[in-house]
Amino acid sequence: MASSPDVPSVGNTPENPGNNSPSAASAASGSSEAPLAAEPAADERRGRVRARRAAVMAVPATLVAAGLAVLTAQGALGVQFAISGMPFAVTATDLNGTGFEQFGALDNMADGSPNAGDTGGQELVVTSAIKKATLDHLCQSVDLGGTNLMITAGGGADKVQASALTTDSTELSGNAEFNNIEIGNDASTLTKAGVKGPIGVFSQQADTVHIANLRQTNYATTAGVFKLPGLKLRFSDSGC
């Protein structure tokens, strides 16, 4: 899940105090008229969006320090669709993967989404990627307001299998073990899962990952192949 560069807003560029500038003319004429102030609401919204973009670079570092790990991550340079803005839970008793990568990113909602709130339609996420993964007792649920849409799979002898599996997460927990982990890479140089993140963004990668008792809050998931043996979809009073 990559951020877009800030675009300066009209009227926010300071005037050059040259001979022909309005500021210079006012000073020369001795005018005491004060410049019009920018609307506080617009400035605050822009500030929040910029702060989210800046925070992308530090997200995975906190996860490493806490000993937590994410399930998977988004493909290529980010999710290629507008997210709904409705988070969904994902759990699994065991995840085993080969080719693991992780970095910070921003997901964007559709213009005018009712779920945007005061975020500017953006969600700061941890993007992770696994080249090949197997999962035991996978559960996914989304709260629809009073009821939950739930999907379960891989509860029998056959496990859930995925290739090029990716997710964008805001919360995660579990007991993780990595093999040959590298921490502090530039996200644009990652090689383990075939995904490259934005240049200048903190990241990590490992040859293999094992996570027991995985739990995530996600905003997006993509996969090249996703095999779900024993798939069941139903409505439930409670989520995963």
PDB file of all heavy atoms in Angstrom, residues 38-58:
ATOM      1  N   ALA A  38      -5.916  33.053   6.118  1.00  0.00           N
ATOM      2  CA  ALA A  38      -6.415  31.833   5.480  1.00  0.00           C
ATOM      3  C   ALA A  38      -7.459  31.197   6.376  1.00  0.00           C
ATOM      4  O   ALA A  38      -7.459  31.378   7.592  1.00  0.00           O
ATOM      5  CB  ALA A  38      -5.266  30.854   5.242  1.00  0.00           C
ATOM      6  N   GLU A  39      -8.369  30.458   5.765  1.00  0.00           N
ATOM      7  CA  GLU A  39      -9.403  29.792   6.542  1.00  0.00           C
ATOM      8  C   GLU A  39      -8.791  28.723   7.422  1.00  0.00           C
ATOM      9  O   GLU A  39      -8.129  27.824   6.923  1.00  0.00           O
ATOM     10  CB  GLU A  39     -10.433  29.157   5.603  1.00  0.00           C
ATOM     11  CG  GLU A  39     -11.200  30.201   4.803  1.00  0.00           C
ATOM     12  CD  GLU A  39     -12.265  29.540   3.945  1.00  0.00           C
ATOM     13  OE1 GLU A  39     -12.472  28.326   4.126  1.00  0.00           O
ATOM     14  OE2 GLU A  39     -12.871  30.229   3.123  1.00  0.00           O
ATOM     15  N   PRO A  40      -8.996  28.765   8.749  1.00  0.00           N
ATOM     16  CA  PRO A  40      -8.378  27.792   9.669  1.00  0.00           C
ATOM     17  C   PRO A  40      -8.755  26.361   9.344  1.00  0.00           C
ATOM     18  O   PRO A  40      -7.945  25.471   9.427  1.00  0.00           O
ATOM     19  CB  PRO A  40      -8.919  28.224  11.044  1.00  0.00           C
ATOM     20  CG  PRO A  40      -9.319  29.658  10.872  1.00  0.00           C
ATOM     21  CD  PRO A  40      -9.772  29.781   9.458  1.00  0.00           C
ATOM     22  N   ALA A  41     -10.008  26.126   8.920  1.00  0.00           N
ATOM     23  CA  ALA A  41     -10.441  24.751   8.675  1.00  0.00           C
ATOM     24  C   ALA A  41      -9.643  24.119   7.555  1.00  0.00           C
ATOM     25  O   ALA A  41      -9.208  22.981   7.643  1.00  0.00           O
ATOM     26  CB  ALA A  41     -11.932  24.733   8.356  1.00  0.00           C
ATOM     27  N   ALA A  42      -9.434  24.876   6.465  1.00  0.00           N
ATOM     28  CA  ALA A  42      -8.676  24.337   5.329  1.00  0.00           C
ATOM     29  C   ALA A  42      -7.228  24.076   5.719  1.00  0.00           C
ATOM     30  O   ALA A  42      -6.646  23.056   5.349  1.00  0.00           O
ATOM     31  CB  ALA A  42      -8.738  25.308   4.153  1.00  0.00           C
ATOM     32  N   ASP A  43      -6.626  25.028   6.474  1.00  0.00           N
ATOM     33  CA  ASP A  43      -5.228  24.850   6.896  1.00  0.00           C
ATOM     34  C   ASP A  43      -5.075  23.624   7.782  1.00  0.00           C
ATOM     35  O   ASP A  43      -4.104  22.873   7.662  1.00  0.00           O
ATOM     36  CB  ASP A  43      -4.740  26.088   7.652  1.00  0.00           C
ATOM     37  CG  ASP A  43      -4.517  27.274   6.710  1.00  0.00           C
ATOM     38  OD1 ASP A  43      -4.456  27.024   5.491  1.00  0.00           O
ATOM     39  OD2 ASP A  43      -4.408  28.413   7.197  1.00  0.00           O
ATOM     40  N   GLU A  44      -6.039  23.419   8.687  1.00  0.00           N
ATOM     41  CA  GLU A  44      -5.948  22.270   9.594  1.00  0.00           C
ATOM     42  C   GLU A  44      -6.061  20.959   8.833  1.00  0.00           C
ATOM     43  O   GLU A  44      -5.364  19.992   9.122  1.00  0.00           O
ATOM     44  CB  GLU A  44      -7.057  22.361  10.645  1.00  0.00           C
ATOM     45  CG  GLU A  44      -6.820  23.492  11.647  1.00  0.00           C
ATOM     46  CD  GLU A  44      -8.000  23.662  12.587  1.00  0.00           C
ATOM     47  OE1 GLU A  44      -8.934  22.855  12.487  1.00  0.00           O
ATOM     48  OE2 GLU A  44      -7.979  24.605  13.395  1.00  0.00           O
ATOM     49  N   ARG A  45      -6.973  20.923   7.833  1.00  0.00           N
ATOM     50  CA  ARG A  45      -7.105  19.689   7.047  1.00  0.00           C
ATOM     51  C   ARG A  45      -5.828  19.393   6.295  1.00  0.00           C
ATOM     52  O   ARG A  45      -5.374  18.255   6.257  1.00  0.00           O
ATOM     53  CB  ARG A  45      -8.281  19.825   6.070  1.00  0.00           C
ATOM     54  CG  ARG A  45      -9.653  19.675   6.732  1.00  0.00           C
ATOM     55  CD  ARG A  45     -10.704  19.419   5.682  1.00  0.00           C
ATOM     56  NE  ARG A  45     -10.814  20.525   4.749  1.00  0.00           N
ATOM     57  CZ  ARG A  45     -11.632  21.563   4.921  1.00  0.00           C
ATOM     58  NH1 ARG A  45     -12.394  21.644   6.004  1.00  0.00           N
ATOM     59  NH2 ARG A  45     -11.689  22.520   4.012  1.00  0.00           N
ATOM     60  N   ARG A  46      -5.226  20.435   5.662  1.00  0.00           N
ATOM     61  CA  ARG A  46      -3.973  20.211   4.936  1.00  0.00           C
ATOM     62  C   ARG A  46      -2.869  19.753   5.871  1.00  0.00           C
ATOM     63  O   ARG A  46      -2.060  18.892   5.540  1.00  0.00           O
ATOM     64  CB  ARG A  46      -3.559  21.505   4.219  1.00  0.00           C
ATOM     65  CG  ARG A  46      -4.344  21.762   2.922  1.00  0.00           C
ATOM     66  CD  ARG A  46      -3.699  22.862   2.109  1.00  0.00           C
ATOM     67  NE  ARG A  46      -3.819  24.153   2.771  1.00  0.00           N
ATOM     68  CZ  ARG A  46      -4.818  24.999   2.582  1.00  0.00           C
ATOM     69  NH1 ARG A  46      -5.796  24.689   1.767  1.00  0.00           N
ATOM     70  NH2 ARG A  46      -4.843  26.165   3.204  1.00  0.00           N
ATOM     71  N   GLY A  47      -2.848  20.330   7.098  1.00  0.00           N
ATOM     72  CA  GLY A  47      -1.827  19.937   8.070  1.00  0.00           C
ATOM     73  C   GLY A  47      -1.946  18.491   8.476  1.00  0.00           C
ATOM     74  O   GLY A  47      -0.960  17.788   8.603  1.00  0.00           O
ATOM     75  N   ARG A  48      -3.194  18.020   8.662  1.00  0.00           N
ATOM     76  CA  ARG A  48      -3.399  16.626   9.059  1.00  0.00           C
ATOM     77  C   ARG A  48      -2.952  15.672   7.966  1.00  0.00           C
ATOM     78  O   ARG A  48      -2.327  14.654   8.220  1.00  0.00           O
ATOM     79  CB  ARG A  48      -4.868  16.396   9.417  1.00  0.00           C
ATOM     80  CG  ARG A  48      -5.264  16.929  10.780  1.00  0.00           C
ATOM     81  CD  ARG A  48      -6.607  16.387  11.190  1.00  0.00           C
ATOM     82  NE  ARG A  48      -7.675  16.916  10.366  1.00  0.00           N
ATOM     83  CZ  ARG A  48      -8.390  17.984  10.682  1.00  0.00           C
ATOM     84  NH1 ARG A  48      -8.148  18.630  11.805  1.00  0.00           N
ATOM     85  NH2 ARG A  48      -9.368  18.394   9.896  1.00  0.00           N
ATOM     86  N   VAL A  49      -3.281  16.003   6.702  1.00  0.00           N
ATOM     87  CA  VAL A  49      -2.897  15.140   5.583  1.00  0.00           C
ATOM     88  C   VAL A  49      -1.386  15.079   5.453  1.00  0.00           C
ATOM     89  O   VAL A  49      -0.798  14.016   5.258  1.00  0.00           O
ATOM     90  CB  VAL A  49      -3.538  15.640   4.269  1.00  0.00           C
ATOM     91  CG1 VAL A  49      -2.965  14.894   3.081  1.00  0.00           C
ATOM     92  CG2 VAL A  49      -5.050  15.453   4.325  1.00  0.00           C
ATOM     93  N   ARG A  50      -0.718  16.238   5.591  1.00  0.00           N
ATOM     94  CA  ARG A  50       0.746  16.249   5.472  1.00  0.00           C
ATOM     95  C   ARG A  50       1.402  15.477   6.602  1.00  0.00           C
ATOM     96  O   ARG A  50       2.422  14.821   6.424  1.00  0.00           O
ATOM     97  CB  ARG A  50       1.237  17.703   5.441  1.00  0.00           C
ATOM     98  CG  ARG A  50       0.951  18.380   4.104  1.00  0.00           C
ATOM     99  CD  ARG A  50       1.160  19.863   4.157  1.00  0.00           C
ATOM    100  NE  ARG A  50       0.798  20.497   2.896  1.00  0.00           N
ATOM    101  CZ  ARG A  50       0.455  21.768   2.793  1.00  0.00           C
ATOM    102  NH1 ARG A  50       0.417  22.527   3.872  1.00  0.00           N
ATOM    103  NH2 ARG A  50       0.144  22.282   1.621  1.00  0.00           N
ATOM    104  N   ALA A  51       0.828  15.579   7.809  1.00  0.00           N
ATOM    105  CA  ALA A  51       1.378  14.833   8.942  1.00  0.00           C
ATOM    106  C   ALA A  51       1.269  13.332   8.700  1.00  0.00           C
ATOM    107  O   ALA A  51       2.174  12.574   9.042  1.00  0.00           O
ATOM    108  CB  ALA A  51       0.630  15.214  10.222  1.00  0.00           C
ATOM    109  N   ARG A  52       0.173  12.889   8.092  1.00  0.00           N
ATOM    110  CA  ARG A  52       0.018  11.465   7.791  1.00  0.00           C
ATOM    111  C   ARG A  52       1.077  11.018   6.787  1.00  0.00           C
ATOM    112  O   ARG A  52       1.649   9.940   6.902  1.00  0.00           O
ATOM    113  CB  ARG A  52      -1.384  11.199   7.240  1.00  0.00           C
ATOM    114  CG  ARG A  52      -2.463  11.236   8.309  1.00  0.00           C
ATOM    115  CD  ARG A  52      -3.841  11.212   7.693  1.00  0.00           C
ATOM    116  NE  ARG A  52      -4.846  11.162   8.749  1.00  0.00           N
ATOM    117  CZ  ARG A  52      -5.347  10.053   9.262  1.00  0.00           C
ATOM    118  NH1 ARG A  52      -4.940   8.899   8.806  1.00  0.00           N
ATOM    119  NH2 ARG A  52      -6.253  10.084  10.217  1.00  0.00           N
ATOM    120  N   ARG A  53       1.307  11.855   5.781  1.00  0.00           N
ATOM    121  CA  ARG A  53       2.315  11.497   4.784  1.00  0.00           C
ATOM    122  C   ARG A  53       3.705  11.402   5.407  1.00  0.00           C
ATOM    123  O   ARG A  53       4.483  10.511   5.104  1.00  0.00           O
ATOM    124  CB  ARG A  53       2.307  12.529   3.650  1.00  0.00           C
ATOM    125  CG  ARG A  53       1.072  12.398   2.763  1.00  0.00           C
ATOM    126  CD  ARG A  53       0.996  13.504   1.748  1.00  0.00           C
ATOM    127  NE  ARG A  53      -0.143  13.301   0.876  1.00  0.00           N
ATOM    128  CZ  ARG A  53      -0.791  14.263   0.238  1.00  0.00           C
ATOM    129  NH1 ARG A  53      -0.410  15.509   0.389  1.00  0.00           N
ATOM    130  NH2 ARG A  53      -1.804  13.991  -0.551  1.00  0.00           N
ATOM    131  N   ALA A  54       4.012  12.346   6.288  1.00  0.00           N
ATOM    132  CA  ALA A  54       5.322  12.331   6.938  1.00  0.00           C
ATOM    133  C   ALA A  54       5.483  11.119   7.843  1.00  0.00           C
ATOM    134  O   ALA A  54       6.572  10.560   7.965  1.00  0.00           O
ATOM    135  CB  ALA A  54       5.510  13.617   7.757  1.00  0.00           C
ATOM    136  N   ALA A  55       4.394  10.675   8.466  1.00  0.00           N
ATOM    137  CA  ALA A  55       4.467   9.555   9.404  1.00  0.00           C
ATOM    138  C   ALA A  55       4.742   8.225   8.720  1.00  0.00           C
ATOM    139  O   ALA A  55       5.152   7.270   9.369  1.00  0.00           O
ATOM    140  CB  ALA A  55       3.159   9.461  10.190  1.00  0.00           C
ATOM    141  N   VAL A  56       4.548   8.153   7.407  1.00  0.00           N
ATOM    142  CA  VAL A  56       4.755   6.900   6.675  1.00  0.00           C
ATOM    143  C   VAL A  56       6.152   6.340   6.922  1.00  0.00           C
ATOM    144  O   VAL A  56       6.344   5.135   7.046  1.00  0.00           O
ATOM    145  CB  VAL A  56       4.549   7.131   5.157  1.00  0.00           C
ATOM    146  CG1 VAL A  56       5.103   5.972   4.342  1.00  0.00           C
ATOM    147  CG2 VAL A  56       3.065   7.299   4.869  1.00  0.00           C
ATOM    148  N   MET A  57       7.150   7.213   7.014  1.00  0.00           N
ATOM    149  CA  MET A  57       8.531   6.763   7.086  1.00  0.00           C
ATOM    150  C   MET A  57       8.857   6.048   8.390  1.00  0.00           C
ATOM    151  O   MET A  57       9.825   5.309   8.453  1.00  0.00           O
ATOM    152  CB  MET A  57       9.477   7.945   6.896  1.00  0.00           C
ATOM    153  CG  MET A  57       9.301   8.634   5.561  1.00  0.00           C
ATOM    154  SD  MET A  57      10.654   9.733   5.165  1.00  0.00           S
ATOM    155  CE  MET A  57      10.107  10.348   3.574  1.00  0.00           C
ATOM    156  N   ALA A  58       8.072   6.231   9.439  1.00  0.00           N
ATOM    157  CA  ALA A  58       8.419   5.671  10.740  1.00  0.00           C
ATOM    158  C   ALA A  58       7.541   4.515  11.177  1.00  0.00           C
ATOM    159  O   ALA A  58       7.830   3.884  12.177  1.00  0.00           O
ATOM    160  CB  ALA A  58       8.362   6.764  11.798  1.00  0.00           C
TER     161      ALA A  58
END
